[in-house]
Amino acid sequence: MNRAEERPDPPYVRIVTELRRRIAAGELRAGDRVPSNRQLAKEWGVALATATKALATLRQEGLVRAVPRVGTVVAPSEPPSAPPAEPSPRPSRRRADPDSTQELTRERIVRAALGIADAQGLAALSMRSVAARLGVPTMSLYRHVPGKDELVLLMADAVFAEAELPREPPPGWRAQLELVMRLQWSLYNRHPWLARALSITRPQLIPSGMAHTEWALRAVDGLGLDLNTMLLVHIMVLGYVRGVAIELEAEAEAQAETGLTSDEWIQSLDAMMAEILASGRYPMLARLSAEPDMKSDVDTLFEFGMRRMLDGLAVLLDAPRNPGR
């Protein structure tokens, strides 16, 4: 017998093969959670990196996908994600391509891209994955969108357009800034990838997002600030919301990879934490650990930080202007 035939498959391949079998046999159906990398590592007695590689392979094959706040689930079979979605060398397939291209619009492409990014994160987005979702050749997308970078900007513009600012602002700068901060926070919650797509130091041209800038500048207009300070106030407010929101995608990715919620992950550290705190070196942390109902989730962080930021701005915006300061 050939030595190559005697050599066993790598551990991650065996895991992939077994999960493929479960999906094909219907033991795991579309939408069912598959074991997390930690569960697989324990079940198969392999390293965490090996289990992670197995799940990554299944994701690349389109058999599973990561769902924010749920975990890794079996992907639905309807959206083509394999060769049928790509151009085939057969003449009949090529004849169908022009019709598919004519049916394409920029709006359809953006909607498909949003579906991928919302479900799997920005890392899963590519021109190829969008084409597969739409069932068209990849090259047909470039007639409508120059590339991925431009597509992400179109996606961000579509997302900001979801948050319609009221025609009549509430009275007072604080209410106006709080309103736009809450609107942006709601967008980041619906689209966790958005925070990483934006830049504070190199702002992109996003027309719907510029409406938020205009709103923030008008909120502090007429309060004695120069234009540069007004802009800095807007950037600080935008940067705060975005900074906290970055944790939304990171948490969704961590939950998909580990199968553990944030609370479950913290609980998994209880024994190790208790051993460290028993040393007596960290009395304040020991008090925190003993306190029931402590809250530090992202929504609590956002609310607390937003109020403190607005309190700080009140010192600047509500104080009498002193030219000598």
Side-chain angles (χ1 to χ4, degrees):
M1 183 178 290
N2 190 304
R3 288 191 177 185
E5 294 176 348
E6 296 175 354
R7 188 180 303 137
D9 290 330
Y12 89 91
V13 173
R14 297 200 296 272
I15 298 173
V16 169
T17 302
E18 171 59 18
L19 290 179
R20 277 203 209 104
R21 184 199 66 77
R22 295 180 193 177
I23 294 172
E27 297 174 19
L28 290 171
R29 300 183 178 183
D32 288 349
R33 282 186 61 176
V34 300
S36 69
N37 54 1
R38 290 185 181 277
Q39 292 169 330
L40 290 173
K42 183 177 180 180
E43 177 184 350
W44 289 80
V46 297
L48 193 61
T50 301
T52 300
K53 185 175 182 179
L55 290 179
T57 301
L58 291 171
R59 279 198 293 271
Q60 291 171 358
E61 294 177 359
L63 293 177
V64 302
R65 62 188 180 94
V67 177
R69 299 179 178 82
V70 175
T72 301
V73 302
V74 178
S77 57
E78 291 81 8
S81 58
E86 293 298 314
S88 168
R90 293 177 299 175
S92 59
R93 176 60 178 161
R94 282 201 296 267
R95 285 197 298 269
D97 289 345
D99 294 334
S100 298
T101 303
Q102 290 173 5
E103 295 171 359
L104 277 181
T105 63
R106 178 176 288 184
E107 290 72 21
R108 279 190 62 204
I109 294 171
V110 171
R111 285 198 302 270
L114 285 172
I116 294 171
D118 289 347
Q120 303 176 55
L122 207 57
L125 180 71
S126 67
M127 300 297 276
R128 181 184 177 89
S129 65
V130 174
R133 189 179 182 93
L134 291 170
V136 299
T138 302
M139 293 305 297
S140 65
L141 302 185
Y142 290 95
R143 292 188 176 185
H144 305 274
V145 182
K148 179 179 175 180
D149 291 343
E150 293 81 4
L151 177 57
V152 171
L153 290 182
L154 291 171
M155 292 162 59
D157 188 49
V159 167
F160 275 103
E162 295 175 7
E164 188 174 350
L165 292 160
R167 292 186 178 181
E168 293 297 327
W173 66 265
R174 181 166 185 141
Q176 293 172 38
L177 289 182
E178 182 173 339
L179 184 149
V180 77
M181 292 174 79
R182 289 190 183 282
L183 275 178
Q184 291 171 11
W185 182 245
S186 69
L187 293 180
Y188 289 127
N189 271 275
R190 291 199 297 272
H191 310 281
W193 55 269
L194 179 62
R196 294 187 185 277
L198 300 179
S199 174
I200 299 298
T201 57
R202 298 189 178 189
Q204 303 99 321
L205 289 177
I206 303 172
S208 297
M210 292 167 68
H212 287 237
T213 302
E214 183 74 12
W215 176 278
L217 293 175
R218 289 175 57 187
V220 296
D221 189 24
L223 299 179
L225 301 181
D226 60 81
L227 287 172
N228 188 68
T229 304
M230 291 166 58
L231 177 63
L232 292 176
V233 168
H234 157 64
I235 294 174
M236 183 176 69
V237 167
L238 174 68
Y240 167 73
V241 183
R242 174 182 173 272
V244 181
I246 284 178
E247 294 302 318
L248 294 171
E249 185 179 35
E251 171 57 26
E253 291 174 350
Q255 186 167 325
E257 289 293 333
T258 65
L260 300 175
T261 65
S262 177
D263 289 339
E264 290 170 342
W265 178 78
I266 292 175
Q267 290 170 7
S268 71
L269 302 177
D270 281 350
M272 188 181 301
M273 178 65 77
E275 182 179 347
I276 294 174
L277 296 179
S279 68
R281 295 170 58 191
Y282 308 105
M284 292 301 301
L285 289 175
R287 288 173 57 188
L288 282 174
S289 180
E291 186 72 18
D293 301 325
M294 296 291 290
K295 294 182 179 180
S296 60
D297 57 275
V298 288
D299 285 307
T300 300
L301 291 173
F302 168 73
E303 289 289 337
F304 179 84
M306 178 186 67
R307 296 183 186 282
R308 302 296 79 77
M309 173 171 284
L310 295 175
D311 289 344
L313 282 174
V315 176
L316 173 69
L317 300 177
D318 292 340
R321 300 278 73 78
N322 183 352
R325 292 180 61 183

